PDB file of all heavy atoms in Angstrom:
ATOM      1  N   PRO A 245      99.918  98.110 104.302  1.00  0.00           N
ATOM      2  CA  PRO A 245     100.708  97.105 103.572  1.00  0.00           C
ATOM      3  C   PRO A 245     101.911  96.665 104.397  1.00  0.00           C
ATOM      4  O   PRO A 245     102.379  97.402 105.268  1.00  0.00           O
ATOM      5  CB  PRO A 245     101.141  97.850 102.302  1.00  0.00           C
ATOM      6  CG  PRO A 245     101.047  99.308 102.652  1.00  0.00           C
ATOM      7  CD  PRO A 245      99.916  99.426 103.623  1.00  0.00           C
ATOM      8  N   SER A 246     102.397  95.468 104.148  1.00  0.00           N
ATOM      9  CA  SER A 246     103.508  94.921 104.928  1.00  0.00           C
ATOM     10  C   SER A 246     104.791  95.711 104.710  1.00  0.00           C
ATOM     11  O   SER A 246     105.655  95.752 105.579  1.00  0.00           O
ATOM     12  CB  SER A 246     103.741  93.449 104.570  1.00  0.00           C
ATOM     13  OG  SER A 246     103.981  93.317 103.174  1.00  0.00           O
ATOM     14  N   GLU A 247     104.934  96.358 103.557  1.00  0.00           N
ATOM     15  CA  GLU A 247     106.129  97.150 103.271  1.00  0.00           C
ATOM     16  C   GLU A 247     105.714  98.578 102.988  1.00  0.00           C
ATOM     17  O   GLU A 247     104.628  98.842 102.465  1.00  0.00           O
ATOM     18  CB  GLU A 247     106.871  96.567 102.061  1.00  0.00           C
ATOM     19  CG  GLU A 247     107.262  95.138 102.279  1.00  0.00           C
ATOM     20  CD  GLU A 247     108.680  94.851 101.830  1.00  0.00           C
ATOM     21  OE1 GLU A 247     109.258  95.659 101.135  1.00  0.00           O
ATOM     22  OE2 GLU A 247     109.177  93.800 102.234  1.00  0.00           O
ATOM     23  N   TRP A 248     106.564  99.518 103.377  1.00  0.00           N
ATOM     24  CA  TRP A 248     106.270 100.933 103.172  1.00  0.00           C
ATOM     25  C   TRP A 248     106.104 101.225 101.677  1.00  0.00           C
ATOM     26  O   TRP A 248     107.019 101.006 100.881  1.00  0.00           O
ATOM     27  CB  TRP A 248     107.394 101.781 103.753  1.00  0.00           C
ATOM     28  CG  TRP A 248     107.282 103.249 103.485  1.00  0.00           C
ATOM     29  CD1 TRP A 248     108.124 104.012 102.731  1.00  0.00           C
ATOM     30  CD2 TRP A 248     106.270 104.133 103.981  1.00  0.00           C
ATOM     31  NE1 TRP A 248     107.711 105.315 102.710  1.00  0.00           N
ATOM     32  CE2 TRP A 248     106.565 105.426 103.470  1.00  0.00           C
ATOM     33  CE3 TRP A 248     105.150 103.977 104.779  1.00  0.00           C
ATOM     34  CZ2 TRP A 248     105.787 106.545 103.753  1.00  0.00           C
ATOM     35  CZ3 TRP A 248     104.362 105.084 105.060  1.00  0.00           C
ATOM     36  CH2 TRP A 248     104.679 106.336 104.558  1.00  0.00           C
ATOM     37  N   PRO A 249     104.929 101.736 101.270  1.00  0.00           N
ATOM     38  CA  PRO A 249     104.658 101.917  99.835  1.00  0.00           C
ATOM     39  C   PRO A 249     105.154 103.244  99.267  1.00  0.00           C
ATOM     40  O   PRO A 249     105.063 103.465  98.059  1.00  0.00           O
ATOM     41  CB  PRO A 249     103.126 101.863  99.791  1.00  0.00           C
ATOM     42  CG  PRO A 249     102.715 102.468 101.095  1.00  0.00           C
ATOM     43  CD  PRO A 249     103.765 102.041 102.094  1.00  0.00           C
ATOM     44  N   GLY A 250     105.649 104.106 100.131  1.00  0.00           N
ATOM     45  CA  GLY A 250     106.016 105.454  99.689  1.00  0.00           C
ATOM     46  C   GLY A 250     104.945 106.434 100.125  1.00  0.00           C
ATOM     47  O   GLY A 250     103.775 106.067 100.312  1.00  0.00           O
ATOM     48  N   ILE A 251     105.312 107.683 100.283  1.00  0.00           N
ATOM     49  CA  ILE A 251     104.392 108.663 100.860  1.00  0.00           C
ATOM     50  C   ILE A 251     103.195 108.949  99.962  1.00  0.00           C
ATOM     51  O   ILE A 251     102.076 109.160 100.459  1.00  0.00           O
ATOM     52  CB  ILE A 251     105.141 109.981 101.194  1.00  0.00           C
ATOM     53  CG1 ILE A 251     104.239 110.919 101.996  1.00  0.00           C
ATOM     54  CG2 ILE A 251     105.689 110.633  99.943  1.00  0.00           C
ATOM     55  CD1 ILE A 251     103.765 110.376 103.318  1.00  0.00           C
ATOM     56  N   GLU A 252     103.389 108.914  98.665  1.00  0.00           N
ATOM     57  CA  GLU A 252     102.268 109.198  97.760  1.00  0.00           C
ATOM     58  C   GLU A 252     101.198 108.118  97.852  1.00  0.00           C
ATOM     59  O   GLU A 252     100.003 108.411  97.953  1.00  0.00           O
ATOM     60  CB  GLU A 252     102.772 109.330  96.320  1.00  0.00           C
ATOM     61  CG  GLU A 252     103.738 110.484  96.089  1.00  0.00           C
ATOM     62  CD  GLU A 252     103.099 111.833  96.358  1.00  0.00           C
ATOM     63  OE1 GLU A 252     101.859 111.944  96.243  1.00  0.00           O
ATOM     64  OE2 GLU A 252     103.829 112.787  96.677  1.00  0.00           O
ATOM     65  N   ALA A 253     101.617 106.853  97.830  1.00  0.00           N
ATOM     66  CA  ALA A 253     100.663 105.747  97.935  1.00  0.00           C
ATOM     67  C   ALA A 253     100.024 105.718  99.319  1.00  0.00           C
ATOM     68  O   ALA A 253      98.823 105.427  99.453  1.00  0.00           O
ATOM     69  CB  ALA A 253     101.376 104.419  97.656  1.00  0.00           C
ATOM     70  N   PHE A 254     100.813 106.033 100.359  1.00  0.00           N
ATOM     71  CA  PHE A 254     100.267 106.073 101.717  1.00  0.00           C
ATOM     72  C   PHE A 254      99.186 107.137 101.823  1.00  0.00           C
ATOM     73  O   PHE A 254      98.112 106.896 102.386  1.00  0.00           O
ATOM     74  CB  PHE A 254     101.391 106.349 102.717  1.00  0.00           C
ATOM     75  CG  PHE A 254     100.924 106.505 104.138  1.00  0.00           C
ATOM     76  CD1 PHE A 254     100.734 105.401 104.950  1.00  0.00           C
ATOM     77  CD2 PHE A 254     100.680 107.765 104.667  1.00  0.00           C
ATOM     78  CE1 PHE A 254     100.292 105.542 106.267  1.00  0.00           C
ATOM     79  CE2 PHE A 254     100.238 107.927 105.976  1.00  0.00           C
ATOM     80  CZ  PHE A 254     100.045 106.805 106.775  1.00  0.00           C
ATOM     81  N   ALA A 255      99.470 108.316 101.302  1.00  0.00           N
ATOM     82  CA  ALA A 255      98.507 109.418 101.373  1.00  0.00           C
ATOM     83  C   ALA A 255      97.245 109.109 100.570  1.00  0.00           C
ATOM     84  O   ALA A 255      96.130 109.468 100.979  1.00  0.00           O
ATOM     85  CB  ALA A 255      99.150 110.707 100.863  1.00  0.00           C
ATOM     86  N   ALA A 256      97.398 108.415  99.435  1.00  0.00           N
ATOM     87  CA  ALA A 256      96.243 108.102  98.578  1.00  0.00           C
ATOM     88  C   ALA A 256      95.286 107.132  99.263  1.00  0.00           C
ATOM     89  O   ALA A 256      94.073 107.191  99.040  1.00  0.00           O
ATOM     90  CB  ALA A 256      96.731 107.518  97.251  1.00  0.00           C
ATOM     91  N   SER A 257      95.828 106.238 100.098  1.00  0.00           N
ATOM     92  CA  SER A 257      94.977 105.249 100.769  1.00  0.00           C
ATOM     93  C   SER A 257      94.694 105.613 102.238  1.00  0.00           C
ATOM     94  O   SER A 257      94.149 104.796 102.975  1.00  0.00           O
ATOM     95  CB  SER A 257      95.656 103.871 100.721  1.00  0.00           C
ATOM     96  OG  SER A 257      96.905 103.905 101.399  1.00  0.00           O
ATOM     97  N   PHE A 258      95.052 106.820 102.620  1.00  0.00           N
ATOM     98  CA  PHE A 258      94.927 107.244 104.021  1.00  0.00           C
ATOM     99  C   PHE A 258      93.468 107.307 104.457  1.00  0.00           C
ATOM    100  O   PHE A 258      92.628 107.880 103.779  1.00  0.00           O
ATOM    101  CB  PHE A 258      95.578 108.618 104.202  1.00  0.00           C
ATOM    102  CG  PHE A 258      95.497 109.156 105.596  1.00  0.00           C
ATOM    103  CD1 PHE A 258      96.289 108.634 106.616  1.00  0.00           C
ATOM    104  CD2 PHE A 258      94.620 110.189 105.901  1.00  0.00           C
ATOM    105  CE1 PHE A 258      96.226 109.137 107.901  1.00  0.00           C
ATOM    106  CE2 PHE A 258      94.550 110.706 107.193  1.00  0.00           C
ATOM    107  CZ  PHE A 258      95.353 110.175 108.192  1.00  0.00           C
ATOM    108  N   GLU A 259      93.174 106.688 105.624  1.00  0.00           N
ATOM    109  CA  GLU A 259      91.843 106.743 106.216  1.00  0.00           C
ATOM    110  C   GLU A 259      91.957 107.446 107.562  1.00  0.00           C
ATOM    111  O   GLU A 259      92.566 106.924 108.504  1.00  0.00           O
ATOM    112  CB  GLU A 259      91.274 105.345 106.397  1.00  0.00           C
ATOM    113  CG  GLU A 259      91.044 104.608 105.080  1.00  0.00           C
ATOM    114  CD  GLU A 259      90.412 103.249 105.299  1.00  0.00           C
ATOM    115  OE1 GLU A 259      89.850 103.021 106.399  1.00  0.00           O
ATOM    116  OE2 GLU A 259      90.485 102.414 104.388  1.00  0.00           O
ATOM    117  N   PRO A 260      91.379 108.642 107.689  1.00  0.00           N
ATOM    118  CA  PRO A 260      91.585 109.452 108.898  1.00  0.00           C
ATOM    119  C   PRO A 260      91.003 108.863 110.183  1.00  0.00           C
ATOM    120  O   PRO A 260      91.590 109.021 111.250  1.00  0.00           O
ATOM    121  CB  PRO A 260      90.914 110.786 108.550  1.00  0.00           C
ATOM    122  CG  PRO A 260      89.967 110.481 107.437  1.00  0.00           C
ATOM    123  CD  PRO A 260      90.584 109.361 106.677  1.00  0.00           C
ATOM    124  N   ILE A 261      89.864 108.166 110.096  1.00  0.00           N
ATOM    125  CA  ILE A 261      89.218 107.683 111.325  1.00  0.00           C
ATOM    126  C   ILE A 261      90.057 106.624 112.045  1.00  0.00           C
ATOM    127  O   ILE A 261      90.297 106.739 113.254  1.00  0.00           O
ATOM    128  CB  ILE A 261      87.791 107.173 111.029  1.00  0.00           C
ATOM    129  CG1 ILE A 261      86.902 108.349 110.607  1.00  0.00           C
ATOM    130  CG2 ILE A 261      87.209 106.478 112.259  1.00  0.00           C
ATOM    131  CD1 ILE A 261      85.491 107.968 110.255  1.00  0.00           C
ATOM    132  N   PRO A 262      90.528 105.558 111.370  1.00  0.00           N
ATOM    133  CA  PRO A 262      91.403 104.605 112.060  1.00  0.00           C
ATOM    134  C   PRO A 262      92.682 105.252 112.581  1.00  0.00           C
ATOM    135  O   PRO A 262      93.199 104.872 113.631  1.00  0.00           O
ATOM    136  CB  PRO A 262      91.697 103.552 110.988  1.00  0.00           C
ATOM    137  CG  PRO A 262      90.583 103.665 110.013  1.00  0.00           C
ATOM    138  CD  PRO A 262      90.229 105.114 109.998  1.00  0.00           C
ATOM    139  N   TYR A 263      93.184 106.231 111.836  1.00  0.00           N
ATOM    140  CA  TYR A 263      94.403 106.936 112.247  1.00  0.00           C
ATOM    141  C   TYR A 263      94.164 107.723 113.531  1.00  0.00           C
ATOM    142  O   TYR A 263      94.925 107.619 114.503  1.00  0.00           O
ATOM    143  CB  TYR A 263      94.839 107.862 111.114  1.00  0.00           C
ATOM    144  CG  TYR A 263      96.075 108.681 111.406  1.00  0.00           C
ATOM    145  CD1 TYR A 263      97.351 108.150 111.224  1.00  0.00           C
ATOM    146  CD2 TYR A 263      95.975 110.001 111.836  1.00  0.00           C
ATOM    147  CE1 TYR A 263      98.484 108.905 111.469  1.00  0.00           C
ATOM    148  CE2 TYR A 263      97.096 110.763 112.090  1.00  0.00           C
ATOM    149  CZ  TYR A 263      98.350 110.215 111.909  1.00  0.00           C
ATOM    150  OH  TYR A 263      99.473 110.970 112.161  1.00  0.00           O
ATOM    151  N   ILE A 264      93.089 108.502 113.550  1.00  0.00           N
ATOM    152  CA  ILE A 264      92.751 109.296 114.739  1.00  0.00           C
ATOM    153  C   ILE A 264      92.464 108.386 115.926  1.00  0.00           C
ATOM    154  O   ILE A 264      92.821 108.691 117.070  1.00  0.00           O
ATOM    155  CB  ILE A 264      91.527 110.195 114.444  1.00  0.00           C
ATOM    156  CG1 ILE A 264      91.893 111.278 113.425  1.00  0.00           C
ATOM    157  CG2 ILE A 264      91.002 110.839 115.722  1.00  0.00           C
ATOM    158  CD1 ILE A 264      90.700 112.071 112.936  1.00  0.00           C
ATOM    159  N   ALA A 265      91.834 107.238 115.646  1.00  0.00           N
ATOM    160  CA  ALA A 265      91.413 106.327 116.712  1.00  0.00           C
ATOM    161  C   ALA A 265      92.583 105.782 117.529  1.00  0.00           C
ATOM    162  O   ALA A 265      92.410 105.454 118.704  1.00  0.00           O
ATOM    163  CB  ALA A 265      90.608 105.164 116.124  1.00  0.00           C
ATOM    164  N   TRP A 266      93.771 105.659 116.924  1.00  0.00           N
ATOM    165  CA  TRP A 266      94.909 105.167 117.717  1.00  0.00           C
ATOM    166  C   TRP A 266      95.797 106.293 118.242  1.00  0.00           C
ATOM    167  O   TRP A 266      96.467 106.130 119.260  1.00  0.00           O
ATOM    168  CB  TRP A 266      95.748 104.156 116.928  1.00  0.00           C
ATOM    169  CG  TRP A 266      96.692 104.708 115.895  1.00  0.00           C
ATOM    170  CD1 TRP A 266      96.462 104.806 114.561  1.00  0.00           C
ATOM    171  CD2 TRP A 266      98.019 105.217 116.103  1.00  0.00           C
ATOM    172  NE1 TRP A 266      97.549 105.354 113.925  1.00  0.00           N
ATOM    173  CE2 TRP A 266      98.527 105.608 114.843  1.00  0.00           C
ATOM    174  CE3 TRP A 266      98.830 105.375 117.220  1.00  0.00           C
ATOM    175  CZ2 TRP A 266      99.800 106.157 114.677  1.00  0.00           C
ATOM    176  CZ3 TRP A 266     100.102 105.917 117.058  1.00  0.00           C
ATOM    177  CH2 TRP A 266     100.573 106.296 115.808  1.00  0.00           C
ATOM    178  N   VAL A 267      95.785 107.456 117.566  1.00  0.00           N
ATOM    179  CA  VAL A 267      96.620 108.566 118.036  1.00  0.00           C
ATOM    180  C   VAL A 267      96.042 109.199 119.302  1.00  0.00           C
ATOM    181  O   VAL A 267      96.785 109.532 120.242  1.00  0.00           O
ATOM    182  CB  VAL A 267      96.790 109.625 116.930  1.00  0.00           C
ATOM    183  CG1 VAL A 267      97.552 110.843 117.471  1.00  0.00           C
ATOM    184  CG2 VAL A 267      97.535 109.048 115.739  1.00  0.00           C
ATOM    185  N   ILE A 268      94.723 109.340 119.362  1.00  0.00           N
ATOM    186  CA  ILE A 268      94.094 110.000 120.510  1.00  0.00           C
ATOM    187  C   ILE A 268      94.389 109.290 121.837  1.00  0.00           C
ATOM    188  O   ILE A 268      94.785 109.947 122.812  1.00  0.00           O
ATOM    189  CB  ILE A 268      92.576 110.158 120.290  1.00  0.00           C
ATOM    190  CG1 ILE A 268      92.316 111.257 119.254  1.00  0.00           C
ATOM    191  CG2 ILE A 268      91.862 110.492 121.600  1.00  0.00           C
ATOM    192  CD1 ILE A 268      90.864 111.489 118.949  1.00  0.00           C
ATOM    193  N   PRO A 269      94.209 107.965 121.951  1.00  0.00           N
ATOM    194  CA  PRO A 269      94.527 107.332 123.238  1.00  0.00           C
ATOM    195  C   PRO A 269      96.005 107.449 123.611  1.00  0.00           C
ATOM    196  O   PRO A 269      96.338 107.513 124.795  1.00  0.00           O
ATOM    197  CB  PRO A 269      94.120 105.873 123.042  1.00  0.00           C
ATOM    198  CG  PRO A 269      94.095 105.660 121.568  1.00  0.00           C
ATOM    199  CD  PRO A 269      93.667 106.976 121.000  1.00  0.00           C
ATOM    200  N   CYS A 270      96.891 107.481 122.622  1.00  0.00           N
ATOM    201  CA  CYS A 270      98.316 107.672 122.912  1.00  0.00           C
ATOM    202  C   CYS A 270      98.558 109.053 123.508  1.00  0.00           C
ATOM    203  O   CYS A 270      99.351 109.211 124.443  1.00  0.00           O
ATOM    204  CB  CYS A 270      99.137 107.502 121.644  1.00  0.00           C
ATOM    205  SG  CYS A 270      99.172 105.827 120.991  1.00  0.00           S
ATOM    206  N   LEU A 271      97.885 110.059 122.955  1.00  0.00           N
ATOM    207  CA  LEU A 271      97.989 111.415 123.480  1.00  0.00           C
ATOM    208  C   LEU A 271      97.448 111.491 124.903  1.00  0.00           C
ATOM    209  O   LEU A 271      98.072 112.081 125.799  1.00  0.00           O
ATOM    210  CB  LEU A 271      97.223 112.381 122.566  1.00  0.00           C
ATOM    211  CG  LEU A 271      97.122 113.838 123.022  1.00  0.00           C
ATOM    212  CD1 LEU A 271      98.508 114.467 123.124  1.00  0.00           C
ATOM    213  CD2 LEU A 271      96.249 114.636 122.052  1.00  0.00           C
ATOM    214  N   LEU A 272      96.302 110.871 125.142  1.00  0.00           N
ATOM    215  CA  LEU A 272      95.703 110.882 126.476  1.00  0.00           C
ATOM    216  C   LEU A 272      96.557 110.111 127.482  1.00  0.00           C
ATOM    217  O   LEU A 272      96.678 110.505 128.645  1.00  0.00           O
ATOM    218  CB  LEU A 272      94.294 110.287 126.415  1.00  0.00           C
ATOM    219  CG  LEU A 272      93.276 111.085 125.581  1.00  0.00           C
ATOM    220  CD1 LEU A 272      91.969 110.299 125.469  1.00  0.00           C
ATOM    221  CD2 LEU A 272      93.031 112.453 126.197  1.00  0.00           C
ATOM    222  N   LEU A 273      97.172 109.020 127.026  1.00  0.00           N
ATOM    223  CA  LEU A 273      98.045 108.228 127.893  1.00  0.00           C
ATOM    224  C   LEU A 273      99.246 109.050 128.347  1.00  0.00           C
ATOM    225  O   LEU A 273      99.687 108.941 129.498  1.00  0.00           O
ATOM    226  CB  LEU A 273      98.514 106.978 127.145  1.00  0.00           C
ATOM    227  CG  LEU A 273      99.383 105.979 127.908  1.00  0.00           C
ATOM    228  CD1 LEU A 273      98.639 105.430 129.120  1.00  0.00           C
ATOM    229  CD2 LEU A 273      99.810 104.836 126.988  1.00  0.00           C
ATOM    230  N   ALA A 274      99.757 109.890 127.455  1.00  0.00           N
ATOM    231  CA  ALA A 274     100.894 110.748 127.806  1.00  0.00           C
ATOM    232  C   ALA A 274     100.520 111.779 128.865  1.00  0.00           C
ATOM    233  O   ALA A 274     101.395 112.324 129.542  1.00  0.00           O
ATOM    234  CB  ALA A 274     101.419 111.452 126.554  1.00  0.00           C
ATOM    235  N   LEU A 275      99.229 112.027 129.034  1.00  0.00           N
ATOM    236  CA  LEU A 275      98.768 112.978 130.036  1.00  0.00           C
ATOM    237  C   LEU A 275      98.469 112.310 131.381  1.00  0.00           C
ATOM    238  O   LEU A 275      98.765 112.881 132.441  1.00  0.00           O
ATOM    239  CB  LEU A 275      97.513 113.700 129.528  1.00  0.00           C
ATOM    240  CG  LEU A 275      97.648 114.480 128.215  1.00  0.00           C
ATOM    241  CD1 LEU A 275      96.316 115.098 127.829  1.00  0.00           C
ATOM    242  CD2 LEU A 275      98.729 115.545 128.322  1.00  0.00           C
ATOM    243  N   THR A 276      97.889 111.117 131.351  1.00  0.00           N
ATOM    244  CA  THR A 276      97.449 110.500 132.606  1.00  0.00           C
ATOM    245  C   THR A 276      98.507 109.632 133.277  1.00  0.00           C
ATOM    246  O   THR A 276      98.496 109.490 134.500  1.00  0.00           O
ATOM    247  CB  THR A 276      96.179 109.653 132.383  1.00  0.00           C
ATOM    248  OG1 THR A 276      96.449 108.625 131.413  1.00  0.00           O
ATOM    249  CG2 THR A 276      95.026 110.518 131.901  1.00  0.00           C
ATOM    250  N   PHE A 277      99.429 109.059 132.498  1.00  0.00           N
ATOM    251  CA  PHE A 277     100.467 108.212 133.106  1.00  0.00           C
ATOM    252  C   PHE A 277     101.343 108.992 134.087  1.00  0.00           C
ATOM    253  O   PHE A 277     101.579 108.522 135.207  1.00  0.00           O
ATOM    254  CB  PHE A 277     101.325 107.565 132.017  1.00  0.00           C
ATOM    255  CG  PHE A 277     102.459 106.722 132.552  1.00  0.00           C
ATOM    256  CD1 PHE A 277     102.206 105.497 133.165  1.00  0.00           C
ATOM    257  CD2 PHE A 277     103.770 107.156 132.448  1.00  0.00           C
ATOM    258  CE1 PHE A 277     103.257 104.721 133.669  1.00  0.00           C
ATOM    259  CE2 PHE A 277     104.820 106.387 132.936  1.00  0.00           C
ATOM    260  CZ  PHE A 277     104.560 105.169 133.547  1.00  0.00           C
ATOM    261  N   PRO A 278     101.834 110.195 133.735  1.00  0.00           N
ATOM    262  CA  PRO A 278     102.612 110.954 134.717  1.00  0.00           C
ATOM    263  C   PRO A 278     101.810 111.310 135.977  1.00  0.00           C
ATOM    264  O   PRO A 278     102.375 111.360 137.073  1.00  0.00           O
ATOM    265  CB  PRO A 278     103.022 112.222 133.952  1.00  0.00           C
ATOM    266  CG  PRO A 278     102.998 111.823 132.521  1.00  0.00           C
ATOM    267  CD  PRO A 278     101.846 110.859 132.419  1.00  0.00           C
ATOM    268  N   VAL A 279     100.512 111.548 135.819  1.00  0.00           N
ATOM    269  CA  VAL A 279      99.665 111.840 136.983  1.00  0.00           C
ATOM    270  C   VAL A 279      99.605 110.624 137.904  1.00  0.00           C
ATOM    271  O   VAL A 279      99.724 110.735 139.135  1.00  0.00           O
ATOM    272  CB  VAL A 279      98.248 112.261 136.540  1.00  0.00           C
ATOM    273  CG1 VAL A 279      97.343 112.454 137.759  1.00  0.00           C
ATOM    274  CG2 VAL A 279      98.305 113.540 135.718  1.00  0.00           C
ATOM    275  N   MET A 280      99.425 109.445 137.319  1.00  0.00           N
ATOM    276  CA  MET A 280      99.387 108.216 138.104  1.00  0.00           C
ATOM    277  C   MET A 280     100.699 108.000 138.855  1.00  0.00           C
ATOM    278  O   MET A 280     100.711 107.655 140.042  1.00  0.00           O
ATOM    279  CB  MET A 280      99.099 107.020 137.193  1.00  0.00           C
ATOM    280  CG  MET A 280      98.938 105.700 137.932  1.00  0.00           C
ATOM    281  SD  MET A 280      98.834 104.267 136.805  1.00  0.00           S
ATOM    282  CE  MET A 280     100.583 104.105 136.347  1.00  0.00           C
ATOM    283  N   ILE A 281     101.821 108.234 138.171  1.00  0.00           N
ATOM    284  CA  ILE A 281     103.126 108.046 138.802  1.00  0.00           C
ATOM    285  C   ILE A 281     103.344 109.071 139.911  1.00  0.00           C
ATOM    286  O   ILE A 281     103.953 108.762 140.944  1.00  0.00           O
ATOM    287  CB  ILE A 281     104.255 108.127 137.757  1.00  0.00           C
ATOM    288  CG1 ILE A 281     104.111 107.003 136.723  1.00  0.00           C
ATOM    289  CG2 ILE A 281     105.625 108.047 138.430  1.00  0.00           C
ATOM    290  CD1 ILE A 281     104.204 105.605 137.306  1.00  0.00           C
ATOM    291  N   SER A 282     102.836 110.284 139.727  1.00  0.00           N
ATOM    292  CA  SER A 282     102.976 111.295 140.783  1.00  0.00           C
ATOM    293  C   SER A 282     102.225 110.875 142.039  1.00  0.00           C
ATOM    294  O   SER A 282     102.684 111.127 143.161  1.00  0.00           O
ATOM    295  CB  SER A 282     102.480 112.660 140.289  1.00  0.00           C
ATOM    296  OG  SER A 282     101.074 112.665 140.116  1.00  0.00           O
ATOM    297  N   CYS A 283     101.091 110.212 141.862  1.00  0.00           N
ATOM    298  CA  CYS A 283     100.335 109.720 143.021  1.00  0.00           C
ATOM    299  C   CYS A 283     101.079 108.564 143.696  1.00  0.00           C
ATOM    300  O   CYS A 283     101.050 108.444 144.934  1.00  0.00           O
ATOM    301  CB  CYS A 283      98.937 109.291 142.593  1.00  0.00           C
ATOM    302  SG  CYS A 283      97.895 110.666 142.055  1.00  0.00           S
ATOM    303  N   ILE A 284     101.747 107.725 142.915  1.00  0.00           N
ATOM    304  CA  ILE A 284     102.556 106.654 143.498  1.00  0.00           C
ATOM    305  C   ILE A 284     103.721 107.254 144.285  1.00  0.00           C
ATOM    306  O   ILE A 284     104.128 106.718 145.321  1.00  0.00           O
ATOM    307  CB  ILE A 284     103.070 105.701 142.399  1.00  0.00           C
ATOM    308  CG1 ILE A 284     101.888 104.943 141.777  1.00  0.00           C
ATOM    309  CG2 ILE A 284     104.090 104.704 142.960  1.00  0.00           C
ATOM    310  CD1 ILE A 284     102.269 104.048 140.620  1.00  0.00           C
TER     311      ILE A 284
END
């Protein structure tokens, strides 16, 4: 929703797959970006 609905409403409509789908690449990016910079 465009405005924060509150934690109860957020949890009630929570969909784990879309959530996991964006968190995982962020986690992986935090691992590979420093490696790339170390090579530079």
Side-chain angles (χ1 to χ4, degrees):
S246 57
E247 302 224 346
W248 174 245
I251 189 60
E252 297 297 334
F254 176 85
S257 61
F258 179 74
E259 296 183 18
I261 293 178
Y263 179 83
I264 292 172
W266 78 262
V267 175
I268 287 179
C270 292
L271 175 62
L272 295 173
L273 183 60
L275 301 178
T276 59
F277 177 72
V279 176
M280 184 188 76
I281 298 298
S282 69
C283 293
I284 293 176

